């Protein structure tokens, strides 16, 4: 297995053979590494062990060195001692894989190279080379006159200089250097592809360079133009995988700014960091993210530096020689592992900015006392536990304190000793329970969100803004009236009363007291002459104080209170009111605007959703002529007067969902600015007149009683989304479907074929999906809903939120179901197959997952573990911010964990330890707030794909399962969601209601809700058959396929998934399927594979019976026959029970029961008389137009083989594509069952008359004799059964 010259590795350029696979299976420490060339074509496969070093692989492959690329980012050279396979295994372990054998298997996947890839040569792109250096041998002429001759010269464009030298003497120092900054590059018209380079310096020569091709000409012209357009001599070589700077760059001695961020610069090499001191005029140097490990002392020799960035380099100490940088003004040391600073740093008297965030400081360095020009103390993300305000007194020059995301649990200070130089104090995301800053007399802004504060004490003399949300505050004390206070945010606390000092804030403009426990609001606050924005939602207010004078209020939010009415003078005294949200109250009336005076309302946005308003208050809305947005969903409206709607001419968005409206007024056609009409969950039977609205974009009429739609002449040009789901009586003809095919998003019901529901299996769950894009132009949320997952009584539901991208959610929507199905075949442990599903999906995203990511939530309903008596269980796994909530006996149980910096302290500490930079908006590296998600592999190891997994057994008390994205749960709490939809029987209407509530409560982002109604009880028995089909000859079990449109973005049919999607549905695809049906026919596995017995799984309601008991076993059989197009002639009688027709096929329900368990023999059943005598049998007969029509019947030899196979022990069954099980002899005798079925008129087989010969089953002439023999044999079996008739106690 080992090649000569290699200690323990083997190169294999083709697929692994049997010997190689056997060698890998012997030890999980073995594996393969894919080596790519510079062209990134087909890789070479190298077999090695975790102990094989890069030098050994190089020796075996004849290479000088190896390179590695992580997550499609930079490419670095491997050290000879590094071990490639161990790097892969460590990477996979960090993702979440734990089993050594599974890690070995995952490492063998070639698509893992999108996350970690090895090269035998370093690949470089043309664009990358252009940024670093341009060079070539061209014809050059010096000077502008024609006297100078053209000569062949080596020309180099590097940094800010053009270097021209002799071809032979290019390395001897005889070079002409032309500075380009501020110069000109001009096209020479007399010569093709020729450029003239001139410098801004006086007396500098001009060089004419003639290029060989237009592509070369354009490259040089583009790069030279960039250089010459700069005002300063700046070179940007960031993100170029550089280990050294180009040698020609050192000729640019006028260089003042050099950006080498995110490279692999070597510390000691001549062209590395140690050589940068050759740039004597360098003032700005960026060496961040270069993995230096230690501070290069050579940098301290560049005394002209004014700005130095050394962040994210793993530095553990700063040398004392840094004091040589006497001109330094900005020093960034963030994202390192520093615990202390040298006292010599205090010599930098010009230093005005020092960044120490995300290091390991446990105290504030005393060197700050010497840095008199530093005004900001930037120490976010360190390990400071106690802050002494007395230590700040020794730093009178410091005005700005940033200690967010530390471990602060105590701030110690003497309130009698004033500290008057601190103006900004930030202690967000700590563990403080009390905070007394009354000694900070000059404090202007305080930020203390997301602590555990119960008491907050401040000095109000200079106070301007207070951010103290998401705490446990019961009291806020401010000494001295805050006369300058303009903004106060005390939301999400435990306040039971408004602080008294608040009434003295004469300049207060924004007040947020939402999410508290306030029972009343002082009238002085409501009547404030400075207040512009007042947020009082989610309190316990029963009334608002009356207004006696005009107020300048612009925005008022009083949602989720106990208000039964609003102040009568609200619209009269708040003339500037433009936004009012009173949703989620018990409003029974609205204030009037008319008082005998001509008053014009400025109200533009009005939310009144989820109240008790009736029709009589609709006329009052017409006084608000400037209204643009009106939400009156889920009230008690029976009508909306047409004359009143006509007066709202400025209306752009109208939501009347969840009422009792029977129609939308015809005057809606006069609202020429209307772009959104939401009227779902009403009783509307007449389609509204919206086709002549020029700006209409979204129309939602789902869950109504629509029966028909008038055919429009033309569609509105802006119509983008039309939702007609949930209208059971609505049928769209071909003409309408053709017209609606131009609507990008059309949502209609998949209408069942006539009486097809009689053949459909009853599932103990049903789902409904609703999505709204909000104020954004695109929907970045996708959902997965599979009610009949795999082949059994199982279900799969999922939700994927891409935040700002729609590509990754759709990709996960189409692939995660198949991945889960494959993982379930490998492991029966729910935690294992769920975890691996997420990790494998993360890998399979490929290049799409390098820069983009998505939150993901999967809910799998399957059979419980054996010790759970075979009942259903629910397994939930998630990453990111999507959540699943289970309603159990009316109570909301959260089954997911939100992985964000604000909600997951464990992950936040992990990310801090890994030295990621968390920006002030709480995002990892400024990209995402999620700490775990699928995709965004370039944020590894900070953002991981490992999911949170929980499994709960489902009981009869479980009513609902709600899946929602981040935006839904931010505005609708789980308890409120359960209460709002628990009484609704239609899951679609329930999902629609949740989205409507969230939107009316203020959400403007993408919203998605997936509601699953559960009915886990006697009807949801999970008993299984006691046999299991063996795999087919290919080694894989037969899986039911789902027929899908080739253009639809559905999951692969290989998994049997037929999911419901949130994305657009092409009407052209729908119309092409109207009038025709298709069913998937699956080839039967050969009888040679047979079945294997296994232990029965029975639920607690149906224990395992004894050997003498008979059980019913439902089944179906599928065959083809020649029938008329519609299945019935015009003169046929009414369709009988048990017969299901759908155009081109007939479905006859069959129920096979009374099969004796554990019996070695199964009697043959061939005629319907015998079947009915044994207690009744139903057979499902399916017919395709063209499939399986002329197939010959089974031969005698096949029948003999089948009889032999059935004589073995156990009851041998055959599984069909729909998951049902039927005895093998039933399959073999389908032809006589089919021949009798159309003739029966009573009992289970009650089919209409078949007068058309084409509608009857045609037996080919060459099989007629064989059919007659089978019928005779069946009659003989019937006589034998009648003679030995037994009585069964099975209920029929």
């Amino acid at each position: 297995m080992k090649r000569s010259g290699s200690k323990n590795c083997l190169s294999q350029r083709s697929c692994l053979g049997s010997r190689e696979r056997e060698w890998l299976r012997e030890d999980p420490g073995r594996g393969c590494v894919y080596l790519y060339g510079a062209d990134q074509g087909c890789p070479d496969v190298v077999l090695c062990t975790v102990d094989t070093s890069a030098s050994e692989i190089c020796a075996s492959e004849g290479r000088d060195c190896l390179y590695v690329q992580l997550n499609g980012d930079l490419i670095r050279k491997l050290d000879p001692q590094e071990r490639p396979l161990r790097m892969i295994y460590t990477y996979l372990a960090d993702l979440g894989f734990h089993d050594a054998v599974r890690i070995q298997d995952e490492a063998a996947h070639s698509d893992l190279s999108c996350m970690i890839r090895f090269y035998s040569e370093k690949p470089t792109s043309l664009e990358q080379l252009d940024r670093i250096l341009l060079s070539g041998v061209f014809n050059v002429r010096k000077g502008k006159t024609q006297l100078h001759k053209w000569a062949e010269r080596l020309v180099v464009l590097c940094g800010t200089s053009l270097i021209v030298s002799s071809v032979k003497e290019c390395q001897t120092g005889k070079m002409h250097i032309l500075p380009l900054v501020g110069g000109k590059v001009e096209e020479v018209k007399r010569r093709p592809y020729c450029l003239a380079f001139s410098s801004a310096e006086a007396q500098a020569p001009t060089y004419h360079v003639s290029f060989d091709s237009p592509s070369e000409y354009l490259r040089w012209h583009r790069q030279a133009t960039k250089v010459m357009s700069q005002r300063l001599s700046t070179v940007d070589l960031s993100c170029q995988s550089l280990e050294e700077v180009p040698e020609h760059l050192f000729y640019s001695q006028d260089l003042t700014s050099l950006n080498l961020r995110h490279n692999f610069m070597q510390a000691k090499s001549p062209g590395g960091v140690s050589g940068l001191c050759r740039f004597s005029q360098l003032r700005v140097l960026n060496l961040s993210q270069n993995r230096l490990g230690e501070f290069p002392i050579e940098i301290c020799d560049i005394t002209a530096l004014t700005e130095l960035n050394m962040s994210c380099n793993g530095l553990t100490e700063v040398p004392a020689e840094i004091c040589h940088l006497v001109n330094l003004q900005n020093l960034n040391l963030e994202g390192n592992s520093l615990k202390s600073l040298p006292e010599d740093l205090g010599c930098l008297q010009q230093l005005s900015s020092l960044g120490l965030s995300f290091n390991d400081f446990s105290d504030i360095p005393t060197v700050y006392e010497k840095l008199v020009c530093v005004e900001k103390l930037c120490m976010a993300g360190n390990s400071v536990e106690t802050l002494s305000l007395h230590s700040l007194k020794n730093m009178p020059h410091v005005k700005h304190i940033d200690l967010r995301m530390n471990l602060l649990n105590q701030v110690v200070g003497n309130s009698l000793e004033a500290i008057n130089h601190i103006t900004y104090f930030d202690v967000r995301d700590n563990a403080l329970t009390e905070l007394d800053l009354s000694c900070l007399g000059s404090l202007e802004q305080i930020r203390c969100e997301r602590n555990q504060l119960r008491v907050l004490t401040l000095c109000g003399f200079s106070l301007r803004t207070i951010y103290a949300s998401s705490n446990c505050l019961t009291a806020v004390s401010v000494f001295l009236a805050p006369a300058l206070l303009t903004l106060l945010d005390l939301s999400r606390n435990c306040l039971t009363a408004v602080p008294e000092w608040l009434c003295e804030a004469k300049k207060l403009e924004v007040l947020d007291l939402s999410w508290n426990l306030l029972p009343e609001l002082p009238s002085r606050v409501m009547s404030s002459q400075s207040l512009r924005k007042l947020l009082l939602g989610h309190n316990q207010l029963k009334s608002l104080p009356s207004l006696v004078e005009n107020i300048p209020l612009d925005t008022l939010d009083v949602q989720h209170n106990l208000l039964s009415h609003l102040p009568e003078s609200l619209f009269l005294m708040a003339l500037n009111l433009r936004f009012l949200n009173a949703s989620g109250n018990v409003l029974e009336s609205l204030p009037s605007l008319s008082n005998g005076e001509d008053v014009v309302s400025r109200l533009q946005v009005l939310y009144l959703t989820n109240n008790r308003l009736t029709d009589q208050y609709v006329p009052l809305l017409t006084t608000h002529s400037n209204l643009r947005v009106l939400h009156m969903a889920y009230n008690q409206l029976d009508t909306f007067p047409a004359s009143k709607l006509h007066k709202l001419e400025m209306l752009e968005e109208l939501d009347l969902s969840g009422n009792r409206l029977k129609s939308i007024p015809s005057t809606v056609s006069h609202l020429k600015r209307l772009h959104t009409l939401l009227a779902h969950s009403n009783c509307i039977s007449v389609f509204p007149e919206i086709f002549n609205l020029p700006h209409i974009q979204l129309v939602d009429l789902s869950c109504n009683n629509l029966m028909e739609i008038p055919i429009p002449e033309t569609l509105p040009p802006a119509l983008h989304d039309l939702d007609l789901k949930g209208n059971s009586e609505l049928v769209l003809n071909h003409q309408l479907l053709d017209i609606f095919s131009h609507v990008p998003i059309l949502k209609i019901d998949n209408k069942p074929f006539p009486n097809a529901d009689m053949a459909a299996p009853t599932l103990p769950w049903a789902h409904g999906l609703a999505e709204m894009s909000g104020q954004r132009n695109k929907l970045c949320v996708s959902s997965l809903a599979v009610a009949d997952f795999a082949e059994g009584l199982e279900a799969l539901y999922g939700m994927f939120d891409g935040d700002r991208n729609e590509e990754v959610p759709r990709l996960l929507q189409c692939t995660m179901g198949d991945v889960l199905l494959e993982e379930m075949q490998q492991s029966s442990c729910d935690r294992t197959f769920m975890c691996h599903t997420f990790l494998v999906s993360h890998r399979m995203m490929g290049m799409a997952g390098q820069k983009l990511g998505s939150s993901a939530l999967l809910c799998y309903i399957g059979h419980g573990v054996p010790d759970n008596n075979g009942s259903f269980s629910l397994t939930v796994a998630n990453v990111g911010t999507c959540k699943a909530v289970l309603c159990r006996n009316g109570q909301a149980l959260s089954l997911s964990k939100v992985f964000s910096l604000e909600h997951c302290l464990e992950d936040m500490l992990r990310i801090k330890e890994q030295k990621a930079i968390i920006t002030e908006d709480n995002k990892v590296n400024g990209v995402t707030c999620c700490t775990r998600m699928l995709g965004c592999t370039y944020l590894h190891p900070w953002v991981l794909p490992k999911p949170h997994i929980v499994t709960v057994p489902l009981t009869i008390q479980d009513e609902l399962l709600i899946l929602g994205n981040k935006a839904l749960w931010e505005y609708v709490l789980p308890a409120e969601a359960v209460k709002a939809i628990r009484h609704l029987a239609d899951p679609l209407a329930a999902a629609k209601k949740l989205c409507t509530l969230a939107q009316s409560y203020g959400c403007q982002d993408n919203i998605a809700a997936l509601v699953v109604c559960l009915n886990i009880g006697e009807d949801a028995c999970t008993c299984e058959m006691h046999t299991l089909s063996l795999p087919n000859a290919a080694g894989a079990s037969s899986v039911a396929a789902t027929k899908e449109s080739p253009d639809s973005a559905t999951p692969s049919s290989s998994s049997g998934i037929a999911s419901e999607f949130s994305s657009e549905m092409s009407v052209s695809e729908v119309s092409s399927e109207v009038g025709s049906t298709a069913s998937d026919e699956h080839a039967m596995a050969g009888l040679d594979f047979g079945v294997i017995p296994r232990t029965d799984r029975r639920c607690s309601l149906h224990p395992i019976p004894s050997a003498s008991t008979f059980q019913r076993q439902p089944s179906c059989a599928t065959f083809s026959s020649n029938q008329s197009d519609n299945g019935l002639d015009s003169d046929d009688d009414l369709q009988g029970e048990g017969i299901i027709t759908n155009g081109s096929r007939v479905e006859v329900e069959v129920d096979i029961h009374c099969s004796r368990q554990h019996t070695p023999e199964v009697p043959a059943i061939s005629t319907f008389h015998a079947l009915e005598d044994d207690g009744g049998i139903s057979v499902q007969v399916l017919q395709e137009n063209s499939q399986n029509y002329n197939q010959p019947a089974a031969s005698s030899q096949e029948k003999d083989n089948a009889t032999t196979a059935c004589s073995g022990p156990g009851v041998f069954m055959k599984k069909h594509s729909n998951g049902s099980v039927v005895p093998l002899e039933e399959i073999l005798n389908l032809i006589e069952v089919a021949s009798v079925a159309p003739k029966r008129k009573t009992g289970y087989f009650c089919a209409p008359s078949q007068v058309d010969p084409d509608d009857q089953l045609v037996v080919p002439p060459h099989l007629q004799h064989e059919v007659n023999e089978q019928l005779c044999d069946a009659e003989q079996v019937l006589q034998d059964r009648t003679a030995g008739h037994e009585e069964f106690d099975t209920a029929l």
Side-chain angles (χ1 to χ4, degrees), residues 878-891:
N878 80 290
V879 292
T881 54
C882 295
K883 281 176 53 178
V885 172
L886 179 66
C887 172
R888 174 168 291 177
N889 198 21
Q891 302 298 318

Side-chain angles (χ1 to χ4, degrees), residues 416-448:
L416 300 179
E417 189 175 3
I419 302 176
N420 295 323
H421 57 87
I422 304 297
T423 60
Y424 179 91
F425 197 85
D426 190 348
V427 288
R428 285 175 287 170
D429 299 289
N430 281 283
L432 296 171
T433 57
E434 294 183 4
L435 184 58
D436 185 353
L437 300 179
S438 57
C439 62
L440 303 183
S442 300
L443 186 64
E444 297 179 0
Q445 182 173 343
I446 169 69
R447 305 209 64 165
C448 55

